Structures are given as structure tokens and as C-alpha cells.
Amino acid sequence: MEQVCFSHGKESGPWGSKITALADVARGRGYAVESLDYRGIDDPLARAALLEAHCAALAAPPVLVGSSMGAYVALAAAAAIDAVALFLMAPAVYVPGYDEYLPQKPRCPITIVHGWGDDIIPPESAIRFAAECKATLHILDDDHRLSANLPEVCRLFAGFLEGLERRA
């Protein structure tokens, strides 16, 4: 069974409303799901190391899903674990203080969802990263949390998983 591993943002937890909704989408498509708990770990590289260690014990590389710092963590771990694909929401790329940690650009399929009204991670960062990685990019009329468009985010995630299944 294919696996989806979720990585939450800096200020949230492993089973917030966004991850719970996306996990339901993944389970509905036959995926096993896990959401790592990074609370109390502020260093993104320490979070990435935890994700890498978790994924090393899996039978096959997973699909990684992350939000904000969790998206950055998924990016940082993707190459090391040979991730199947990445679904990133409001990824914390080109953030002051994270510059030295900018991860290697993964070779797997990447979809990014970002909000035009994001006042924490500017949408320009997602646009730049998507262009550099040739990622699929969806920008919604929303803020950093993407909660006003959660049904649309779920629809995009379902389409993302469907696309992976067609490639397999």
C-alpha cells in the first residue's frame, strides 16, 4: 500500500483540520497515512532528519505532503528518501534565516498550493520556486492557512494523487 506522510507547519500540530481533511482524501484513494509530530522542534533540519528516519523504516518511498515549514521539511528530506512526489502548501522557501538550508531541488513531481493573501510566505516565493522546479502551481484567493479554500485544496490533492496513480 502506498504511503502519504504529512508534515505540519511550525505553529500547528500533526492532525490539524487541513491535514485531517487531506488524510481523508488519501485514505479514500487507498493510501496509508501518517502525520509526524514535530511540536517542540523548531529547527527545520532536525524535523527533516526525523522525517528521513521515519521514511527509512517504510517498505517503499512515500508521497510527502507539507504545509509552510512542513513543506520546507518535506523538500529538505525528499531527495534523501527518494520521495514519490511532493504536495506543498505555502512552502517556506526563500525565507530569511532558511536561506542557508535551501534544499536540493527534488526530481519527483511537485505540486504547490499557495494563497495570494499569504502575509507570512509571499506568493512570489512559491512562484519563483515553482518556476525553478517546473512544479505545478495553484494560487488561491486565500491566506497562509488556506482554510477558506480547504475544499478546493482537497480537490487539488485528489487530482494530484490521481495523476500519480495514472503514472504508476
Side-chain angles (χ1 to χ4, degrees):
M1 175 180 281
E2 298 244 7
Q3 177 96 22
V4 175
C5 288
F6 293 93
S7 292
H8 64 82
K10 184 176 184 177
E11 302 296 325
S12 61
W15 292 107
S17 57
K18 192 167 29 184
I19 289 177
T20 298
L22 294 175
D24 287 345
V25 170
R27 283 187 197 102
R29 300 195 70 84
Y31 289 82
V33 299
E34 292 199 45
S35 185
L36 278 70
D37 189 351
Y38 301 110
R39 291 176 293 187
I41 304 171
D42 290 333
D43 178 6
L45 291 184
R47 289 182 177 207
L50 182 63
L51 178 58
E52 288 176 26
H54 172 79
C55 292
L58 299 176
V63 172
L64 298 180
V65 179
S67 181
S68 192
M69 181 198 259
Y72 180 89
V73 168
L75 274 167
I81 66 162
D82 197 24
V84 171
L86 291 160
F87 188 85
L88 309 174
M89 297 165 287
V93 291
Y94 313 116
V95 172
Y98 286 22
D99 297 342
E100 65 196 79
Y101 303 130
L102 190 60
Q104 192 177 55
K105 291 173 185 63
R107 296 180 186 179
C108 63
I110 303 170
T111 291
I112 299 169
V113 181
H114 210 96
W116 278 119
D118 190 331
D119 62 349
I120 296 173
I121 309 295
E124 293 78 15
S125 295
I127 294 167
R128 175 181 166 194
F129 190 76
E132 290 176 2
C133 293
K134 296 177 180 52
T136 300
L137 175 64
H138 303 278
I139 303 185
L140 308 177
D141 184 16
D142 211 335
D143 60 17
H144 185 68
R145 296 191 53 184
L146 298 167
S147 56
N149 286 281
L150 187 54
E152 177 66 7
V153 175
C154 287
R155 187 188 69 72
L156 292 169
F157 184 54
F160 166 79
L161 292 176
E162 184 179 322
L164 294 178
E165 292 158 11
R166 279 196 308 265
R167 285 188 196 108

Short mmCIF file of all heavy atoms in Angstrom, two decimals, residues 42-101:
data_model
loop_
_atom_site.label_atom_id
_atom_site.label_comp_id
_atom_site.label_asym_id
_atom_site.label_seq_id
_atom_site.Cartn_x
_atom_site.Cartn_y
_atom_site.Cartn_z
N ASP A 42 11.98 23.26 16.69
CA ASP A 42 11.94 24.49 15.90
C ASP A 42 12.89 24.48 14.71
O ASP A 42 12.71 25.24 13.77
CB ASP A 42 12.25 25.70 16.78
CG ASP A 42 11.13 25.99 17.77
OD1 ASP A 42 9.97 25.64 17.47
OD2 ASP A 42 11.42 26.56 18.83
N ASP A 43 13.91 23.64 14.75
CA ASP A 43 14.92 23.59 13.68
C ASP A 43 14.39 22.76 12.52
O ASP A 43 14.11 21.56 12.68
CB ASP A 43 16.20 22.99 14.23
CG ASP A 43 17.31 22.86 13.19
OD1 ASP A 43 17.13 23.34 12.05
OD2 ASP A 43 18.36 22.28 13.53
N PRO A 44 14.25 23.38 11.32
CA PRO A 44 13.72 22.62 10.19
C PRO A 44 14.59 21.43 9.80
O PRO A 44 14.08 20.41 9.34
CB PRO A 44 13.63 23.64 9.06
CG PRO A 44 14.44 24.80 9.49
CD PRO A 44 14.54 24.77 10.97
N LEU A 45 15.89 21.54 9.99
CA LEU A 45 16.76 20.40 9.64
C LEU A 45 16.59 19.25 10.62
O LEU A 45 16.68 18.08 10.22
CB LEU A 45 18.22 20.85 9.56
CG LEU A 45 18.55 21.77 8.39
CD1 LEU A 45 20.03 22.08 8.35
CD2 LEU A 45 18.08 21.19 7.08
N ALA A 46 16.32 19.54 11.88
CA ALA A 46 16.05 18.47 12.85
C ALA A 46 14.73 17.79 12.49
O ALA A 46 14.60 16.56 12.60
CB ALA A 46 16.00 19.05 14.27
N ARG A 47 13.75 18.58 12.03
CA ARG A 47 12.48 17.99 11.59
C ARG A 47 12.71 17.11 10.35
O ARG A 47 12.15 16.03 10.25
CB ARG A 47 11.47 19.08 11.26
CG ARG A 47 10.93 19.80 12.48
CD ARG A 47 9.90 20.84 12.07
NE ARG A 47 9.33 21.50 13.23
CZ ARG A 47 8.12 22.04 13.27
NH1 ARG A 47 7.34 21.99 12.19
NH2 ARG A 47 7.67 22.63 14.35
N ALA A 48 13.53 17.60 9.42
CA ALA A 48 13.82 16.82 8.21
C ALA A 48 14.51 15.51 8.57
O ALA A 48 14.22 14.46 7.99
CB ALA A 48 14.65 17.63 7.24
N ALA A 49 15.42 15.54 9.53
CA ALA A 49 16.11 14.32 9.96
C ALA A 49 15.12 13.32 10.56
O ALA A 49 15.22 12.11 10.32
CB ALA A 49 17.21 14.65 10.97
N LEU A 50 14.15 13.82 11.32
CA LEU A 50 13.12 12.95 11.88
C LEU A 50 12.28 12.32 10.77
O LEU A 50 12.00 11.12 10.79
CB LEU A 50 12.23 13.75 12.83
CG LEU A 50 11.12 13.00 13.54
CD1 LEU A 50 11.68 11.93 14.47
CD2 LEU A 50 10.26 13.98 14.34
N LEU A 51 11.92 13.12 9.76
CA LEU A 51 11.15 12.60 8.63
C LEU A 51 11.97 11.56 7.86
O LEU A 51 11.44 10.51 7.50
CB LEU A 51 10.74 13.75 7.70
CG LEU A 51 9.97 13.36 6.44
CD1 LEU A 51 8.68 12.61 6.78
CD2 LEU A 51 9.67 14.61 5.62
N GLU A 52 13.24 11.83 7.63
CA GLU A 52 14.10 10.88 6.92
C GLU A 52 14.19 9.56 7.70
O GLU A 52 14.08 8.48 7.10
CB GLU A 52 15.50 11.46 6.71
CG GLU A 52 15.54 12.55 5.67
CD GLU A 52 16.92 13.17 5.54
OE1 GLU A 52 17.94 12.50 5.85
OE2 GLU A 52 16.98 14.34 5.13
N ALA A 53 14.36 9.63 9.00
CA ALA A 53 14.45 8.41 9.81
C ALA A 53 13.13 7.64 9.76
O ALA A 53 13.14 6.41 9.64
CB ALA A 53 14.81 8.77 11.26
N HIS A 54 12.03 8.34 9.83
CA HIS A 54 10.72 7.68 9.75
C HIS A 54 10.57 6.97 8.41
O HIS A 54 10.15 5.82 8.35
CB HIS A 54 9.60 8.71 9.95
CG HIS A 54 8.25 8.14 9.69
ND1 HIS A 54 7.59 7.36 10.61
CD2 HIS A 54 7.45 8.19 8.59
CE1 HIS A 54 6.44 6.98 10.10
NE2 HIS A 54 6.33 7.46 8.88
N CYS A 55 10.89 7.66 7.34
CA CYS A 55 10.70 7.10 5.99
C CYS A 55 11.66 5.96 5.69
O CYS A 55 11.33 5.08 4.90
CB CYS A 55 10.82 8.21 4.94
SG CYS A 55 9.47 9.40 5.02
N ALA A 56 12.82 5.94 6.34
CA ALA A 56 13.78 4.85 6.14
C ALA A 56 13.20 3.52 6.58
O ALA A 56 13.59 2.46 6.08
CB ALA A 56 15.07 5.15 6.89
N ALA A 57 12.25 3.56 7.51
CA ALA A 57 11.66 2.32 8.02
C ALA A 57 10.47 1.85 7.19
O ALA A 57 9.93 0.77 7.44
CB ALA A 57 11.21 2.53 9.47
N LEU A 58 10.05 2.63 6.20
CA LEU A 58 8.91 2.26 5.37
C LEU A 58 9.32 1.26 4.30
O LEU A 58 10.47 1.23 3.87
CB LEU A 58 8.31 3.51 4.71
CG LEU A 58 7.77 4.57 5.65
CD1 LEU A 58 7.30 5.80 4.85
CD2 LEU A 58 6.62 4.02 6.49
N ALA A 59 8.37 0.49 3.84
CA ALA A 59 8.65 -0.52 2.81
C ALA A 59 8.96 0.11 1.46
O ALA A 59 9.68 -0.49 0.65
CB ALA A 59 7.45 -1.47 2.67
N ALA A 60 8.43 1.30 1.20
CA ALA A 60 8.65 1.98 -0.07
C ALA A 60 8.63 3.49 0.18
O ALA A 60 8.05 3.95 1.17
CB ALA A 60 7.55 1.61 -1.07
N PRO A 61 9.27 4.25 -0.70
CA PRO A 61 9.25 5.71 -0.52
C PRO A 61 7.82 6.24 -0.55
O PRO A 61 6.98 5.76 -1.31
CB PRO A 61 10.06 6.23 -1.72
CG PRO A 61 10.89 5.08 -2.16
CD PRO A 61 10.07 3.85 -1.86
N PRO A 62 7.54 7.26 0.28
CA PRO A 62 6.19 7.80 0.36
C PRO A 62 5.99 9.04 -0.52
O PRO A 62 6.94 9.59 -1.07
CB PRO A 62 6.09 8.21 1.83
CG PRO A 62 7.47 8.69 2.13
CD PRO A 62 8.39 7.76 1.35
N VAL A 63 4.75 9.46 -0.60
CA VAL A 63 4.38 10.78 -1.09
C VAL A 63 4.51 11.69 0.13
O VAL A 63 4.04 11.34 1.22
CB VAL A 63 2.92 10.79 -1.61
CG1 VAL A 63 2.47 12.21 -1.94
CG2 VAL A 63 2.77 9.86 -2.80
N LEU A 64 5.15 12.84 -0.03
CA LEU A 64 5.31 13.77 1.08
C LEU A 64 4.37 14.96 0.88
O LEU A 64 4.29 15.52 -0.23
CB LEU A 64 6.75 14.27 1.18
CG LEU A 64 7.82 13.21 1.46
CD1 LEU A 64 9.20 13.85 1.52
CD2 LEU A 64 7.52 12.45 2.74
N VAL A 65 3.70 15.34 1.95
CA VAL A 65 2.80 16.48 1.95
C VAL A 65 3.18 17.37 3.12
O VAL A 65 3.37 16.88 4.24
CB VAL A 65 1.33 16.03 2.10
CG1 VAL A 65 0.40 17.25 2.13
CG2 VAL A 65 0.93 15.07 0.99
N GLY A 66 3.34 18.66 2.85
CA GLY A 66 3.70 19.56 3.93
C GLY A 66 3.10 20.93 3.77
O GLY A 66 2.76 21.35 2.67
N SER A 67 2.96 21.61 4.90
CA SER A 67 2.42 22.95 4.93
C SER A 67 3.41 23.89 5.62
O SER A 67 3.91 23.57 6.70
CB SER A 67 1.09 22.95 5.69
OG SER A 67 0.52 24.23 5.71
N SER A 68 3.72 25.00 4.96
CA SER A 68 4.59 26.04 5.50
C SER A 68 5.96 25.45 5.84
O SER A 68 6.65 24.92 4.97
CB SER A 68 3.92 26.71 6.70
OG SER A 68 4.61 27.87 7.06
N MET A 69 6.37 25.50 7.12
CA MET A 69 7.65 24.90 7.48
C MET A 69 7.64 23.40 7.19
O MET A 69 8.66 22.83 6.81
CB MET A 69 7.99 25.12 8.95
CG MET A 69 9.35 24.53 9.35
SD MET A 69 9.57 24.32 11.11
CE MET A 69 10.57 25.75 11.49
N GLY A 70 6.48 22.77 7.31
CA GLY A 70 6.36 21.34 6.98
C GLY A 70 6.63 21.07 5.51
O GLY A 70 7.17 20.02 5.15
N ALA A 71 6.26 22.01 4.65
CA ALA A 71 6.57 21.86 3.22
C ALA A 71 8.07 21.98 3.00
O ALA A 71 8.66 21.25 2.21
CB ALA A 71 5.82 22.92 2.41
N TYR A 72 8.70 22.90 3.72
CA TYR A 72 10.15 23.04 3.65
C TYR A 72 10.82 21.75 4.13
O TYR A 72 11.77 21.27 3.51
CB TYR A 72 10.60 24.23 4.49
CG TYR A 72 12.08 24.43 4.45
CD1 TYR A 72 12.67 25.22 3.47
CD2 TYR A 72 12.91 23.80 5.37
CE1 TYR A 72 14.04 25.39 3.41
CE2 TYR A 72 14.28 23.97 5.32
CZ TYR A 72 14.84 24.75 4.34
OH TYR A 72 16.19 24.91 4.28
N VAL A 73 10.31 21.19 5.22
CA VAL A 73 10.85 19.93 5.76
C VAL A 73 10.72 18.81 4.73
O VAL A 73 11.66 18.04 4.51
CB VAL A 73 10.14 19.58 7.09
CG1 VAL A 73 10.43 18.15 7.53
CG2 VAL A 73 10.52 20.58 8.17
N ALA A 74 9.56 18.72 4.09
CA ALA A 74 9.37 17.70 3.05
C ALA A 74 10.36 17.90 1.91
O ALA A 74 10.95 16.92 1.43
CB ALA A 74 7.93 17.76 2.53
N LEU A 75 10.59 19.14 1.51
CA LEU A 75 11.58 19.42 0.47
C LEU A 75 12.98 19.01 0.90
O LEU A 75 13.73 18.42 0.13
CB LEU A 75 11.60 20.92 0.15
CG LEU A 75 10.60 21.42 -0.86
CD1 LEU A 75 10.54 22.94 -0.82
CD2 LEU A 75 10.95 20.94 -2.24
N ALA A 76 13.31 19.33 2.15
CA ALA A 76 14.65 19.02 2.65
C ALA A 76 14.91 17.52 2.70
O ALA A 76 16.05 17.08 2.53
CB ALA A 76 14.85 19.65 4.03
N ALA A 77 13.86 16.74 2.92
CA ALA A 77 14.02 15.28 3.05
C ALA A 77 13.80 14.53 1.74
O ALA A 77 14.21 13.38 1.61
CB ALA A 77 13.05 14.75 4.10
N ALA A 78 13.17 15.16 0.78
CA ALA A 78 12.70 14.45 -0.43
C ALA A 78 13.79 13.69 -1.17
O ALA A 78 13.61 12.53 -1.53
CB ALA A 78 12.00 15.43 -1.37
N ALA A 79 14.91 14.33 -1.42
CA ALA A 79 15.97 13.67 -2.19
C ALA A 79 16.56 12.49 -1.42
O ALA A 79 16.79 11.43 -1.99
CB ALA A 79 17.06 14.68 -2.56
N ALA A 80 16.77 12.67 -0.12
CA ALA A 80 17.39 11.63 0.69
C ALA A 80 16.53 10.37 0.77
O ALA A 80 17.05 9.27 0.88
CB ALA A 80 17.67 12.15 2.10
N ILE A 81 15.21 10.54 0.72
CA ILE A 81 14.33 9.37 0.84
C ILE A 81 13.76 8.93 -0.49
O ILE A 81 12.98 7.99 -0.54
CB ILE A 81 13.20 9.62 1.85
CG1 ILE A 81 12.26 10.71 1.33
CG2 ILE A 81 13.74 9.99 3.20
CD1 ILE A 81 10.93 10.70 2.01
N ASP A 82 14.13 9.62 -1.57
CA ASP A 82 13.63 9.29 -2.90
C ASP A 82 12.10 9.35 -2.94
O ASP A 82 11.43 8.42 -3.37
CB ASP A 82 14.13 7.92 -3.34
CG ASP A 82 14.00 7.70 -4.84
OD1 ASP A 82 13.97 8.70 -5.59
OD2 ASP A 82 13.92 6.54 -5.26
N ALA A 83 11.56 10.47 -2.45
CA ALA A 83 10.10 10.65 -2.37
C ALA A 83 9.44 10.42 -3.72
O ALA A 83 9.99 10.76 -4.77
CB ALA A 83 9.78 12.05 -1.87
N VAL A 84 8.26 9.84 -3.69
CA VAL A 84 7.48 9.59 -4.90
C VAL A 84 7.04 10.91 -5.52
O VAL A 84 7.11 11.10 -6.74
CB VAL A 84 6.25 8.72 -4.57
CG1 VAL A 84 5.29 8.63 -5.75
CG2 VAL A 84 6.68 7.34 -4.11
N ALA A 85 6.59 11.84 -4.68
CA ALA A 85 6.11 13.14 -5.14
C ALA A 85 5.94 14.05 -3.93
O ALA A 85 5.96 13.59 -2.78
CB ALA A 85 4.78 12.99 -5.88
N LEU A 86 5.77 15.35 -4.21
CA LEU A 86 5.58 16.34 -3.16
C LEU A 86 4.34 17.17 -3.42
O LEU A 86 4.14 17.67 -4.54
CB LEU A 86 6.78 17.29 -3.13
CG LEU A 86 8.10 16.72 -2.64
CD1 LEU A 86 9.26 17.58 -3.11
CD2 LEU A 86 8.09 16.63 -1.14
N PHE A 87 3.51 17.35 -2.40
CA PHE A 87 2.36 18.26 -2.43
C PHE A 87 2.63 19.28 -1.34
O PHE A 87 2.60 18.95 -0.15
CB PHE A 87 1.06 17.49 -2.18
CG PHE A 87 -0.17 18.32 -2.40
CD1 PHE A 87 -0.73 18.46 -3.66
CD2 PHE A 87 -0.80 18.94 -1.32
CE1 PHE A 87 -1.87 19.21 -3.86
CE2 PHE A 87 -1.95 19.69 -1.51
CZ PHE A 87 -2.50 19.83 -2.78
N LEU A 88 2.94 20.51 -1.74
CA LEU A 88 3.41 21.53 -0.81
C LEU A 88 2.42 22.68 -0.73
O LEU A 88 2.03 23.25 -1.75
CB LEU A 88 4.77 22.06 -1.27
CG LEU A 88 5.83 21.00 -1.58
CD1 LEU A 88 7.08 21.66 -2.16
CD2 LEU A 88 6.16 20.20 -0.34
N MET A 89 2.05 23.05 0.49
CA MET A 89 1.13 24.16 0.70
C MET A 89 1.88 25.28 1.39
O MET A 89 2.49 25.08 2.44
CB MET A 89 -0.05 23.69 1.55
CG MET A 89 -0.88 22.61 0.85
SD MET A 89 -2.00 21.74 1.97
CE MET A 89 -0.84 20.72 2.90
N ALA A 90 1.85 26.46 0.77
CA ALA A 90 2.52 27.65 1.31
C ALA A 90 3.95 27.31 1.76
O ALA A 90 4.32 27.56 2.91
CB ALA A 90 1.71 28.25 2.44
N PRO A 91 4.76 26.74 0.87
CA PRO A 91 6.09 26.29 1.29
C PRO A 91 6.98 27.45 1.75
O PRO A 91 7.03 28.50 1.13
CB PRO A 91 6.66 25.62 0.04
CG PRO A 91 5.92 26.24 -1.10
CD PRO A 91 4.55 26.54 -0.57
N ALA A 92 7.68 27.21 2.84
CA ALA A 92 8.58 28.21 3.42
C ALA A 92 9.92 28.17 2.68
O ALA A 92 10.93 27.71 3.21
CB ALA A 92 8.76 27.95 4.91
N VAL A 93 9.90 28.65 1.45
CA VAL A 93 11.12 28.74 0.65
C VAL A 93 11.51 30.21 0.52
O VAL A 93 10.66 31.08 0.53
CB VAL A 93 10.96 28.08 -0.74
CG1 VAL A 93 10.83 26.58 -0.60
CG2 VAL A 93 9.76 28.64 -1.49
N TYR A 94 12.81 30.44 0.41
CA TYR A 94 13.37 31.79 0.31
C TYR A 94 12.97 32.65 1.50
O TYR A 94 12.70 33.83 1.38
CB TYR A 94 12.97 32.47 -1.01
CG TYR A 94 13.17 31.57 -2.21
CD1 TYR A 94 12.09 31.14 -2.97
CD2 TYR A 94 14.45 31.11 -2.55
CE1 TYR A 94 12.27 30.29 -4.04
CE2 TYR A 94 14.63 30.26 -3.61
CZ TYR A 94 13.54 29.85 -4.36
OH TYR A 94 13.72 29.01 -5.42
N VAL A 95 12.96 32.03 2.67
CA VAL A 95 12.63 32.72 3.91
C VAL A 95 13.93 33.14 4.58
O VAL A 95 14.84 32.30 4.70
CB VAL A 95 11.82 31.78 4.84
CG1 VAL A 95 11.62 32.40 6.21
CG2 VAL A 95 10.50 31.41 4.20
N PRO A 96 14.05 34.40 5.01
CA PRO A 96 15.27 34.80 5.73
C PRO A 96 15.53 33.88 6.91
O PRO A 96 14.61 33.53 7.66
CB PRO A 96 14.94 36.22 6.20
CG PRO A 96 13.91 36.71 5.21
CD PRO A 96 13.10 35.49 4.85
N GLY A 97 16.77 33.44 7.03
CA GLY A 97 17.13 32.51 8.08
C GLY A 97 17.11 31.06 7.61
O GLY A 97 17.73 30.21 8.21
N TYR A 98 16.34 30.78 6.56
CA TYR A 98 16.32 29.44 5.99
C TYR A 98 17.20 29.38 4.74
O TYR A 98 17.38 28.32 4.18
CB TYR A 98 14.90 29.03 5.56
CG TYR A 98 13.95 28.68 6.68
CD1 TYR A 98 14.12 29.12 7.97
CD2 TYR A 98 12.84 27.90 6.40
CE1 TYR A 98 13.22 28.81 8.96
CE2 TYR A 98 11.93 27.58 7.38
CZ TYR A 98 12.12 28.04 8.67
OH TYR A 98 11.22 27.72 9.63
N ASP A 99 17.70 30.53 4.31
CA ASP A 99 18.48 30.59 3.06
C ASP A 99 19.60 29.57 3.03
O ASP A 99 19.83 28.90 2.03
CB ASP A 99 19.06 31.99 2.84
CG ASP A 99 17.98 33.04 2.68
OD1 ASP A 99 16.83 32.67 2.40
OD2 ASP A 99 18.29 34.22 2.85
N GLU A 100 20.30 29.44 4.16
CA GLU A 100 21.43 28.52 4.20
C GLU A 100 21.00 27.06 4.09
O GLU A 100 21.79 26.20 3.79
CB GLU A 100 22.23 28.74 5.49
CG GLU A 100 21.43 28.38 6.73
CD GLU A 100 22.04 28.94 7.99
OE1 GLU A 100 21.84 30.13 8.26
OE2 GLU A 100 22.72 28.16 8.68
N TYR A 101 19.72 26.81 4.35
CA TYR A 101 19.21 25.45 4.33
C TYR A 101 18.44 25.12 3.06
O TYR A 101 17.79 24.10 3.00
CB TYR A 101 18.27 25.21 5.51
CG TYR A 101 18.86 25.46 6.86
CD1 TYR A 101 18.19 26.26 7.77
CD2 TYR A 101 20.06 24.89 7.24
CE1 TYR A 101 18.71 26.49 9.03
CE2 TYR A 101 20.59 25.13 8.48
CZ TYR A 101 19.92 25.92 9.38
OH TYR A 101 20.42 26.15 10.62
#
